[in-house]
Amino acid sequence: MERRLLPFLLVFVLTAIAGVAASITRDDFPPDFIFGAGTSAYQVEGAAAEDGRKPSIWDTYAHSGRTRDKKTADITADQYHHYKEDVKLMKKLCLDAYRFSISWSRLIPDGRGRINPKGLQYYNNLINELIINGIQPHVTLHHFDHPQALEDEYGGLVSPKMIEDFTAYADLCFKEFGDRVKYWSTFNEPNVEAILGYDVALFPPGRCSSPFGSNCSAGDSRTEPYISAHNILLAHASAATLYKEKYQKEQRGQIGITIIGFWFEPSTNATDDVAAVKRTMEFHIGWFLQPLVYGDYPATMKDIVKSRLPIFSKEESSRLKASFDFIGLNHYNVLYLQSNPTKFDYNERDYFRDLSIKLGDHHMEGLLKVKASPWGLQRILEYIKANYRNPPIIIHENGYSTHGANSTAPGYDFNDHERVNYIKEYIESLHTSIRNGSNTFGYFIWSFIDCFELVFGYTSKFGLYGVDFSKKERPRYPHLSAQWYSNFLRCGGRETGSINLYTYIE
């Protein structure tokens, strides 16, 4: 009798455990934990040539027809004209915070010199609207989109001149907005930008050299990924030092940098594949966190890249180690690797040949095929905790993409169950990581609304809110995921509104 009951008892216990996991609410997180959602300037603002804004490198790249659907973000979600409506939606979601970026070429159209008063007014208006509605502004200064003028003048990030210009731009932002902005991120995903922009030319400015990239018109894939990353690190350290010395005491804010963190697993248990994963993590995460935490590049990178890897001076090393209050981490999925030891002449190497790995597809198509693997988030947070002194972390991006045509409402599938399940599972995974000692204090969904998804254009959508891009008014409409996130956040007893799943926001 007892033996026959065992299977039923086991089912009961497993069901109870699943019920506990499913019942995680906002109240299970620390009271000051930050929940939000995000976008970036080029991807949502639109108004690309309005009110004094000049092109960024993404304008130039998109207009060259190099996105999947050959579209641009000239209008996109048009948040420039609809920011007040969007902030109302954020309030209905009960967001603690909104992460957005500033368009450098809207604020300082030529990259340096003259300030655009209308650009300054727009960001003041947006920040004030957020504050009035009880939403923290979290600002990224560079989200892949520095002014084209600086690219034309000296090559942008491959030149050390960018350090001075970026610091001056950051200084203006700290001065004008720092009384209200308490969380600053200098750069977004530089460990992707350096590769896709300067090795394989899948991001602007599209620099590469044969045979490593396609449509190469200028660049050197052997060296420029490392040079651009080096200049980004020094620009970050310069701007962060300025903030800490000139503004932080009075403004009481925090500053950091945001990297992308895929989790990698070996395709097999072979020793070479396991070693390939270890090497990749040092090239992927250690490339930036090692200098920021310990003041120098990983030994593995120095051994493999040799003289193509720039060197930090003692002063630069010291400045880097004091340059962040938190690390932003963008995480989406898990990738599986195989070792691919191929002999190349030293002068025939780029980032991927230095790594000597095989990835199903190391271009964007492979990197953004999002499949829910929430354990990957736990593993990367554990890896950072164990290897980089457990820094304070904000998950700045985590989300689920739907792919397909330029779908519009009505008739659009509002019921994005896959996205709901994805977000739910990752929040649960994050909760476990925090209980296990991760120093993570914020979580932002990518993205708040559908937007121009860079090389995917409008064929990929991450939004809690959809946008009808076929209509001039760009109406927003909530997905099921918006309703789920709103319900999750209101578990803290902060209800301020309700979301009607099939209601348009005109």
Side-chain angles (χ1 to χ4, degrees):
M1 179 68 174
E2 290 178 357
R3 292 182 66 182
R4 287 202 300 265
L5 283 174
L6 282 176
F8 296 101
L9 289 172
L10 181 60
V11 169
F12 177 81
V13 170
L14 291 175
T15 303
I17 292 171
V20 170
S23 66
I24 288 176
T25 71
R26 179 192 171 87
D27 288 342
D28 291 298
F29 288 81
D32 57 350
F33 193 89
I34 302 165
F35 282 101
T39 63
S40 81
Y42 183 68
Q43 294 178 265
V44 295
E45 282 181 6
E50 290 186 40
D51 292 342
R53 183 187 182 276
K54 289 188 178 181
S56 74
I57 57 173
W58 254 107
D59 291 280
T60 303
Y61 189 84
H63 276 271
S64 70
R66 298 180 73 174
T67 63
R68 169 178 287 184
D69 56 6
K70 312 299 181 185
K71 299 290 180 63
T72 74
D74 288 358
I75 301 175
T76 183
D78 199 23
Q79 189 169 84
Y80 187 78
H81 296 110
H82 295 275
Y83 71 91
K84 287 189 176 182
E85 296 98 310
D86 283 348
V87 173
K88 287 180 182 177
L89 296 180
M90 295 175 207
K91 187 172 183 179
K92 282 190 174 183
L93 279 175
C94 285
L95 297 185
D96 296 321
Y98 177 50
R99 178 187 178 232
F100 63 96
S101 71
I102 290 174
S103 168
W104 187 347
S105 57
R106 190 182 298 282
L107 193 60
I108 310 175
D110 295 313
R112 72 164 74 91
R114 183 183 66 85
I115 299 166
N116 178 17
K118 291 189 175 180
L120 186 65
Q121 181 182 10
Y122 170 71
Y123 291 111
N124 270 317
N125 289 345
L126 173 59
I127 291 167
N128 288 341
E129 194 72 16
L130 290 167
I131 297 292
I132 289 168
N133 285 277
I135 300 166
Q136 299 173 1
H138 286 231
V139 172
T140 302
L141 294 171
H142 185 281
H143 200 113
F144 307 137
D145 60 345
H146 59 262
Q148 182 64 39
L150 301 183
E151 192 68 31
D152 293 340
E153 181 182 342
Y154 53 69
L157 289 169
V158 296
S159 170
K161 293 180 180 179
M162 177 61 87
I163 300 167
E164 181 179 352
D165 284 339
F166 178 78
T167 304
Y169 156 62
D171 191 14
L172 174 66
C173 292
F174 300 150
K175 177 184 176 183
E176 297 293 339
F177 312 129
D179 58 328
R180 290 151 292 160
V181 174
K182 305 306 176 186
Y183 295 92
W184 298 96
S185 182
T186 53
F187 288 86
N188 180 73
E189 296 184 2
N191 51 338
V192 162
E193 182 171 21
I195 303 164
L196 298 186
Y198 299 88
D199 188 348
V200 295
L202 287 172
F203 262 28
R207 294 176 67 91
C208 61
S209 58
S210 181
F212 307 108
S214 58
N215 300 318
C216 303
S217 57
D220 185 346
S221 297
R222 299 168 304 168
T223 61
E224 288 189 358
Y226 303 112
I227 292 170
S228 60
H230 193 77
N231 288 333
I232 287 172
L233 279 164
L234 294 179
H236 158 78
S238 176
T241 300
L242 171 73
Y243 181 74
K244 288 173 174 293
E245 292 178 351
K246 186 176 179 180
Y247 295 102
Q248 191 171 49
K249 184 177 180 180
E250 180 179 350
Q251 295 181 354
R252 299 181 180 181
Q254 299 184 40
I255 192 163
I257 188 170
T258 299
I259 63 172
I260 191 164
F262 295 102
W263 180 250
F264 298 95
E265 285 285 318
S267 294
T268 73
N269 292 326
T271 302
D272 286 350
D273 289 352
V274 173
V277 167
K278 183 178 185 298
R279 184 170 62 249
T280 299
M281 289 303 293
E282 294 190 14
F283 269 72
H284 179 56
I285 298 293
W287 192 6
F288 283 82
L289 289 192
Q290 192 83 11
L292 290 167
V293 175
Y294 300 108
D296 201 1
Y297 292 116
T300 300
M301 290 191 75
K302 292 196 284 186
D303 289 344
I304 293 173
V305 184
K306 296 184 171 62
S307 63
R308 290 176 293 126
L309 189 66
I311 298 172
F312 296 113
S313 69
K314 287 185 178 180
E315 180 183 353
E316 289 167 346
S317 177
S318 177
R319 182 174 289 190
L320 278 164
K321 288 189 290 184
S323 68
F324 70 93
D325 300 306
F326 67 87
I327 296 296
L329 180 68
N330 298 347
H331 175 79
Y332 289 91
N333 55 357
V334 174
L335 300 173
Y336 290 81
L337 301 181
Q338 283 182 288
S339 177
N340 185 31
T342 309
K343 290 186 178 180
F344 293 101
D345 180 89
Y346 177 69
N347 291 322
E348 293 178 349
R349 288 177 168 243
D350 71 331
Y351 178 88
F352 290 105
R353 289 186 179 182
D354 288 335
L355 269 178
S356 299
I357 59 166
K358 274 186 184 177
L359 190 61
D361 181 350
H362 67 241
H363 293 88
M364 289 296 289
E365 185 71 32
L367 294 176
L368 287 183
K369 283 184 178 176
V370 176
K371 181 180 178 182
S373 302
W375 50 268
L377 178 59
Q378 290 183 48
R379 292 187 185 180
I380 195 166
L381 289 174
E382 182 63 32
Y383 178 87
I384 293 172
K385 182 179 76 171
N387 291 280
Y388 301 105
R389 297 177 177 169
N390 200 16
I393 288 177
I394 302 177
I395 306 298
H396 265 157
E397 292 182 23
N398 177 243
Y400 183 89
S401 169
T402 56
H403 293 266
N406 185 14
S407 304
T408 55
Y412 185 79
D413 184 9
F414 296 92
N415 297 304
D416 54 344
H417 294 284
E418 296 88 352
R419 181 176 289 120
V420 170
N421 290 333
Y422 178 98
I423 294 169
K424 173 179 170 292
E425 290 174 8
Y426 275 84
I427 289 177
E428 290 170 356
S429 178
L430 176 60
H431 179 258
T432 301
S433 297
I434 293 170
R435 291 188 66 178
N436 289 340
S438 173
N439 198 10
T440 303
F441 68 98
Y443 172 86
F444 287 70
I445 290 175
W446 183 271
S447 56
F448 165 63
I449 53 175
D450 285 345
C451 54
F452 178 81
E453 282 296 339
L454 302 180
V455 295
F456 285 102
Y458 301 101
T459 67
S460 179
K461 296 180 175 63
F462 283 82
L464 295 169
Y465 281 86
V467 176
D468 190 341
F469 295 107
S470 71
K471 294 186 177 180
K472 182 180 179 181
E473 298 81 8
R474 297 298 197 268
R476 280 78 159 129
Y477 49 92
H479 289 142
L480 180 64
S481 55
Q483 190 175 55
W484 183 90
Y485 198 40
S486 173
N487 290 340
F488 170 80
L489 294 179
R490 284 202 294 269
C491 287
R494 304 178 309 121
E495 183 167 357
T496 60
S498 61
I499 294 176
N500 297 317
L501 189 55
Y502 299 102
T503 300
Y504 274 84
I505 307 298
E506 295 285 356

